[in-house]
Amino acid sequence: MNHDFVAVRKMPNTPSLIKGPKDTLVLFGELFQRGYANGLVEQAQKQGAKIITATVGRRDGGSSNEGNFGELRPLTPQELALIPFECINVPLEAGFDREAASDGLNVLDRLKNVKLSNWDSALMDWPLIEESQKLAKLRFRNNVKLFFNELSNKVNPEGNVIISHLMAGGVPRHKIVLALLSRTVKGVGEKYFSSQKLWESDLGKLIARNFLEVTAETFNILLQEADGFIKNHKGKVAFTAYGYHGTEVFIENKLTWQSYTPYLQGWAKIALENYAKEHAQKGLACTVYNCPEILTQSSSIFQGVEIPLYPLLNAFKLLAPTSKTTLQLWQSSQGKLKDGVNLDELLKTCDYVLQDKDIKELNYFDLWPQHSSAKQLEKILVASDAMLSAHKDFKDVMTNDLSEIIFQATGKVILAHAGQANQPVVCLGHDVVVDASL
Ligand SMILES: NC(=O)c1ccc[n+]([C@@H]2O[C@H](COP(=O)([O-])OP(=O)(O)OC[C@H]3O[C@@H](n4cnc5c(N)ncnc54)[C@H](O)[C@@H]3O)[C@@H](O)[C@H]2O)c1
């Protein structure tokens, strides 16, 4: 494995930086149902710490397909009332797709004439797009300054604070972009669509640029603007971010690194890691936690991303064969399957597909992230359908429980590890998930 690969393999036994009512967990991003941040929140609540959340704000414009967005605004009192925790009401939307340049047009307005028939020859007006990018970044930076001003009035000045960056995304909400991205992750046979082809086009370069803004630049700006807050705060301050860089899962009983392909956010996630390394070198306590694949509001469109989730069952069986958690998990998972389907046998589908030559070919840590191939995508999607159709009820699937186990376990590990070690990038695989779950 590459020398850059640092894994946390056991639940840290150090007490968390935030362990009581004087301490605060701050979510830098919105909390969605089933999202990774729920694990942090549950754990922080158990530890009795205060929780403060953020918002990306809202826009009241018309169609999201073709420009025409309203101004970015904070939440109304009614919207704020729906948030279960104290929320800093400064709109932290990032990305430049909805930001108008000096000619009054935003990026989505500029894509109006892009169609499925001409997207690959569509050329972007980069100087004007760069104007939008600069303006959006300035707006975001100013809002982060306001965010910190408010934060300093909300935290106990002597308590410890963990600020957790959740942001990822940045798909320009244009119907052609959505259609093309959907084909890169779901297109098989004649509909197969190469992620590389998209990425090499001007349109792909535009999407990649917005990914970078939302996923990585937001973390850099958060850390750059934190100086004043850290200097004035008497307690300790640590920063965390969620990364993804493949995951170690058990394939045929052996802990093996693998990744979802095509993970088009991958380049932005590498930039996120690099920002953590840069700021850690300057003395900031910041760590990117590369986490396993789970199903959330953001990831569920990537059919096949859930394949490496199933082997978590094998991880429990191998590492904790007699534990009550393992026995209950196996029993409830078997109960979700159609009569006559044996869970042990079914899991071999995942072992088989993750070992497949066409899939392994696109799973090199040193070459990560890699683009898709027609054969690899087809095999992943067939396996995904096979796993799903073994269930009695599509709404009650094993991957829901497995995702929950993972976000809870990673929440525990991150809160215990954050700010304790000078490690800017660490990976959390299925081994530590089991350890933290027992
Ligand atoms: N789901 C997975 O398999 C997986 C795996 C590893 C890491 N992660 C990472 O975990 C983090 C949380 O994601 P999640 O999967 O729990 O999904 P989620 O949908 O719950 O969270 C996505 C977050 O991104 C923020 N966001 C989206 N667009 C934004 C924009 N334009 N500007 C500012 N913020 C924006 C949202 O407010 C939200 O906080 C992300 O960084 C994600 O990449 C997810």
Side-chain angles (χ1 to χ4, degrees), residues 30 32 35-36 56 94 166-168 242-243 269 291-294 296 298:
E30 286 199 11
F32 296 145
Y36 249 116
V56 295
L166 316 177
M167 295 175 181
Y242 283 103
K269 287 294 190 194
C291 286
E293 304 78 3
I294 63 169
T296 65
S298 298

Side-chain angles (χ1 to χ4, degrees), residues 274-438:
N274 288 339
Y275 279 133
K277 289 177 191 164
E278 186 186 314
H279 286 279
Q281 252 184 5
K282 291 182 198 155
L284 268 191
C286 59
T287 304
V288 168
Y289 293 89
N290 286 328
C291 286
E293 304 78 3
I294 63 169
L295 290 182
T296 65
Q297 197 162 308
S298 298
S299 68
S300 43
I301 62 149
F302 302 103
Q303 197 195 337
V305 74
E306 78 292 353
I307 293 285
L309 246 174
Y310 296 105
L312 183 62
L313 280 151
N314 286 332
F316 272 97
K317 205 176 198 179
L318 263 169
L319 302 178
T322 55
S323 123
K324 209 168 140 197
T325 314
T326 305
L327 300 176
Q328 278 173 352
L329 177 64
W330 269 77
Q331 198 177 31
S332 75
S333 300
Q334 179 67 61
K336 293 183 197 298
L337 300 178
K338 287 179 181 159
D339 291 345
V341 180
N342 176 280
L343 179 56
D344 229 342
E345 285 301 311
L346 185 70
L347 290 176
K348 289 189 181 138
T349 312
C350 298
D351 272 358
Y352 180 75
V353 76
L354 291 171
Q355 295 258 63
D356 182 274
K357 151 179 137 331
D358 292 318
I359 285 159
K360 276 175 87 173
E361 210 166 76
L362 298 179
N363 265 289
Y364 288 113
F365 185 86
D366 292 340
L367 297 181
W368 189 90
Q370 290 178 270
H371 284 289
S372 62
S373 76
K375 280 187 189 162
Q376 161 261 346
L377 200 57
E378 180 148 13
K379 284 179 179 173
I380 280 286
L381 294 172
V382 166
S384 169
D385 283 339
M387 297 298 292
L388 196 62
S389 61
H391 288 80
K392 283 182 197 146
D393 176 358
F394 289 173
K395 290 200 201 86
D396 182 24
V397 289
M398 286 187 263
T399 44
N400 286 342
D401 294 351
L402 297 171
S403 295
E404 194 165 330
I405 290 173
I406 291 180
F407 73 61
Q408 282 171 345
T410 50
K412 272 168 94 174
V413 176
I414 293 172
L415 282 201
H417 185 272
Q420 312 275 11
N422 186 13
Q423 288 178 316
V425 182
V426 298
C427 301
L428 308 182
H430 281 188
D431 49 352
V432 73
V433 167
V434 173
D435 196 54
S437 304
L438 299 175

Side-chain angles (χ1 to χ4, degrees), residues 133-201:
Q133 189 173 357
K134 271 193 193 142
L135 286 168
K137 204 174 213 157
L138 184 66
R139 181 217 340 117
F140 183 81
R141 187 180 290 281
N142 288 337
N143 284 345
V144 174
K145 288 184 207 267
L146 295 175
F147 180 86
F148 273 119
N149 285 345
E150 285 208 25
L151 186 62
S152 23
N153 297 324
K154 289 187 189 295
V155 295
N156 183 321
E158 285 169 8
N160 295 332
V161 180
I162 293 181
I163 302 181
S164 181
H165 175 277
L166 316 177
M167 295 175 181
V171 175
R173 284 176 198 77
H174 183 274
K175 59 185 174 210
I176 301 301
V177 171
L178 297 174
L180 292 172
L181 280 173
S182 163
R183 282 183 58 187
T184 62
V185 294
K186 287 189 184 149
V188 290
E190 278 186 2
K191 289 218 166 121
Y192 169 71
F193 183 62
S194 149
S195 59
Q196 183 158 10
K197 190 172 168 206
L198 176 61
W199 236 228
E200 283 168 358
S201 71

